[in-house]
Amino acid sequence: MKKVEFSPSLMTMDLDKFKEQITFLNDHVDSYHIDIMDGHYVPNITLSPWFIEEVRKISSLPMSAHLMVTDPSFWVNQLVDLKCEWICMHAEVLDGLAFRLIDQIHDAGLKAGIVLNPETPIETIFPYIELVDKITIMTVDPGFAGQRFIESTLDKIVALRELREEKGYKYVIEMDGSSNRKSFKKIDAAGPDIYIVGRSGLFGLDDSIETSWGIMKKDYEETTGKALV
């Protein structure tokens, strides 16, 4: 059975305990999820490429930038310069840009991801799906932490797994939004490769990141019947 990966959303971490939390998580997670919001595509403004540089001072894990922005070209240029391992762009703003930006990311030796909002069908990305390294399914509306889990979005994860097997595509499938004890079993049944965990699933469980991780691990194992290694 393929190992499920966990990628903490650092937008929801306790920045007062930045070094402590990253140092602990370095030994337990597979990558870090960096939300970059421009205040236009979504109302909030959060992390930036600068934050990736700060994390890299104390971590060698891959980083995945989630661009919630109206001008993906501007941000892709910066992230390519930083050699951010995964650069993930919303399909909803890629009309006329997708092939060029995916090629730019690949030419830099990096991986290109596509993100789909809850309302966006997977057919939207069929013209370039064979080029994509990762597809992220939003299980909440983008831009805010702590939202209601939208269960119907899991159907897209199932469909993407079936399509990958049928066509031989190479993308990994990631879910993003309200991944926690209440939803772990449903998410597990859909079968994504990567879980994004944020405030409700990890950082908000306890003041101690070590205790929070223990609670999350127990929640996942008890609800899915699978060991988290």
Side-chain angles (χ1 to χ4, degrees):
M1 180 180 297
K2 184 179 179 181
K3 175 182 177 291
V4 172
E5 296 187 5
F6 279 77
S7 185
S9 173
L10 298 188
M11 176 183 78
T12 60
M13 73 183 299
D14 186 345
L15 293 178
D16 288 336
K17 300 177 180 179
F18 175 84
K19 186 174 182 180
E20 172 190 337
Q21 294 191 340
I22 295 295
T23 300
F24 174 83
L25 291 170
N26 282 340
D27 295 326
H28 295 85
V29 303
D30 302 280
S31 63
Y32 291 118
H33 184 85
I34 314 293
D35 285 307
I36 297 177
M37 306 181 191
D38 64 357
H40 299 286
Y41 183 72
V42 291
N44 289 330
I45 298 174
T46 52
L47 307 178
S48 73
W50 167 85
F51 190 81
I52 293 172
E53 295 181 283
E54 294 303 303
V55 178
R56 278 201 169 133
K57 292 177 181 179
I58 53 176
S59 179
S60 60
L61 290 181
M63 280 180 246
S64 180
H66 174 191
L67 297 180
M68 284 174 267
V69 300
T70 55
D71 182 8
S73 299
F74 173 80
W75 299 95
V76 167
N77 289 337
Q78 294 186 56
L79 293 165
V80 163
D81 288 342
L82 284 176
K83 297 294 182 183
C84 181
E85 288 85 355
W86 296 87
I87 302 175
C88 304
M89 307 165 289
H90 268 266
E92 298 82 11
V93 296
L94 282 183
D95 189 25
L97 298 171
F99 287 93
R100 176 170 60 83
L101 292 180
I102 291 170
D103 286 347
Q104 181 183 355
I105 293 166
H106 285 164
D107 288 346
L110 307 171
K111 294 182 178 181
I114 300 297
V115 187
L116 296 175
N117 281 336
E119 304 91 338
T120 306
I122 61 173
E123 288 80 5
T124 301
I125 64 172
F126 278 2
Y128 50 86
I129 191 170
E130 64 181 338
L131 304 175
V132 173
D133 302 296
K134 177 164 69 175
I135 301 173
T136 302
I137 298 301
M138 295 298 299
T139 53
V140 299
D141 286 333
F144 298 90
Q147 291 190 74
R148 178 181 70 85
F149 182 77
I150 303 171
E151 188 173 348
S152 60
T153 59
L154 297 177
D155 293 341
K156 289 192 278 190
I157 294 175
V158 175
L160 285 170
R161 282 198 299 107
E162 294 173 349
L163 187 64
R164 180 173 62 186
E165 183 175 349
E166 176 188 348
K167 300 290 188 180
Y169 294 145
K170 303 301 182 184
Y171 55 75
V172 295
I173 305 167
E174 179 176 77
M175 63 73 55
D176 183 5
S178 292
S179 177
N180 53 44
R181 183 178 182 88
K182 293 180 180 179
S183 59
F184 279 147
K185 185 174 182 179
K186 296 173 183 177
I187 297 168
D188 177 71
D193 305 298
I194 304 170
Y195 287 61
I196 305 300
V197 284
R199 185 174 300 149
S200 67
L202 177 61
F203 290 110
L205 299 178
D206 193 87
D207 289 338
S208 161
I209 188 61
E210 184 173 358
T211 302
S212 291
W213 180 261
I215 295 171
M216 192 210 78
K217 183 174 185 292
K218 182 180 178 182
D219 286 345
Y220 176 81
E221 293 179 341
E222 287 184 349
T223 56
T224 66
K226 297 178 180 178
L228 177 57
V229 294

